[in-house]
Amino acid sequence: MFWTFPANTLAGAAAAGGIALINSLGAVGGFVAPIVKNWAEGHFHSPAAGLYLLAGTTVLAALLVLGIRARMAPAALQPRAAA
């Protein structure tokens, strides 16, 4: 779903940059998430704490994406001029 944001709102090199940014953030998340999960498990002395933390951040991210889509909905219906 989030891959469509740069393509719908940007054109050319800017769209490629937006997609590259999404890919970079995904790579950072793949590195940081296990570290944060292990930290939460150790800090709260519970094997479930890390999963609850990751689930909470996933819900937060989903709410942010839905908020962006709701804000962009009227603009997305307008045809984009070809560059």
Side-chain angles (χ1 to χ4, degrees):
M1 171 190 259
F2 50 81
W3 291 104
T4 61
F5 291 144
N8 287 340
T9 58
L10 304 171
I19 292 171
L21 177 65
I22 291 171
N23 189 33
S24 299
L25 292 175
V28 169
F31 176 76
V32 172
I35 294 170
V36 171
K37 179 184 177 293
N38 288 333
W39 171 83
E41 288 176 354
H43 184 75
F44 295 108
H45 306 292
S46 169
L51 294 176
Y52 284 131
L53 179 64
L54 293 179
T57 58
T58 301
V59 169
L60 178 64
L63 292 173
L64 289 172
V65 168
L66 290 174
I68 290 171
R69 283 189 58 90
R71 233 176 65 194
M72 288 178 41
L77 296 176
Q78 302 296 325
R80 188 175 64 199

